[in-house]
Amino acid sequence: MSELSTIKDLLEDEIKDLYSAEKQLTKAIPKMAKGSNNEELASAFTAHLKETENQVKRLEQVAKLLGTEPTGKKCHGMEGVIEEGAEALKEEGDENVLDLGIIGAGSRVEHYEIAGYTTAVSLAKQLGEDEVAELLNANLKEEEAAENKLRSIAVSILKAAPAEQEEDEDE
């Protein structure tokens, strides 16, 4: 465990955590795409994989600018979120309901990343690391867009699904 004595120490730690998270996602996202029944959802995951690969490269740039390595830490939080997503992929049932479960898992991933990037951007700005903040903010904006895309797909699936009727209690 590293010692966190300064804001720069904390920023470097956040970068390592985000890097580990993104690297884990480059392996998990293709599984989410393959497990999706909805073509738009599968396509959204495939497109976000390319963004995730670019985010890894940006984090490598950030680490270089900060004079550190992006490796050396395992993001256990993302590992857990990915594990939950893997569980969603094993479920059986209605395709639309299953896709909504996959979207939920994907949304949890995006929210985790958004929290990390928001923190890292704030720390970089505090340190006057404008280029670092810019690179991190680019990743943050992509994560927010990915979350919005998932939400949009969920809305379209829900609109297309027949409303479930509550059973009459008198029966």
Side-chain angles (χ1 to χ4, degrees):
M1 193 162 287
S2 60
E3 185 177 319
L4 303 177
S5 301
T6 66
I7 293 172
K8 186 170 189 259
D9 292 342
L10 181 58
L11 176 59
E12 290 174 0
D13 192 65
E14 287 287 337
I15 299 310
K16 290 174 188 221
D17 193 69
L18 287 164
Y19 186 77
S20 171
E22 298 291 10
K23 292 291 276 187
Q24 290 178 54
L25 286 169
T26 61
K27 294 178 180 86
I29 293 172
K31 294 173 186 170
M32 301 293 272
K34 186 177 179 185
S36 301
N37 300 294
N38 179 294
E39 284 183 38
E40 185 181 7
L41 181 57
S43 175
F45 280 123
T46 301
H48 193 55
L49 175 60
K50 289 178 182 23
E51 286 179 335
T52 301
E53 290 165 346
N54 286 329
Q55 290 166 359
V56 167
K57 290 176 186 170
R58 280 192 207 110
L59 287 168
E60 290 167 349
Q61 284 180 269
V62 163
K64 189 173 184 176
L65 288 168
L66 294 172
T68 189
E69 292 294 322
T71 57
K73 183 173 183 174
K74 178 151 191 167
C75 181
H76 296 288
M78 185 57 73
E79 185 177 44
V81 175
I82 289 171
E83 192 175 305
E84 286 183 9
E87 289 173 14
L89 292 171
K90 293 177 187 171
E91 298 291 341
E92 293 181 17
D94 179 83
E95 288 185 354
N96 287 328
V97 174
L98 295 174
D99 281 341
L100 290 169
I102 292 169
I103 289 170
S107 288
R108 283 187 285 283
V109 165
E110 298 310 324
H111 282 268
Y112 189 91
E113 291 177 294
I114 289 166
Y117 281 114
T118 299
T119 299
V121 168
S122 296
L123 296 173
K125 286 180 178 178
Q126 178 64 30
L127 292 170
E129 293 283 356
D130 296 336
E131 190 175 354
V132 167
E134 212 172 282
L135 289 164
L136 293 170
N137 199 51
N139 284 8
L140 173 60
K141 295 301 175 204
E142 288 174 354
E143 301 302 359
E144 291 170 339
E147 163 56 19
N148 288 333
K149 181 69 174 172
L150 288 174
R151 194 175 318 126
S152 170
I153 294 168
V155 167
S156 69
I157 290 171
L158 287 168
K159 282 183 180 176
E164 292 184 11
Q165 301 293 321
E166 287 189 33
E167 288 188 38
D168 238 358
E169 291 180 0
D170 297 337
E171 291 180 20

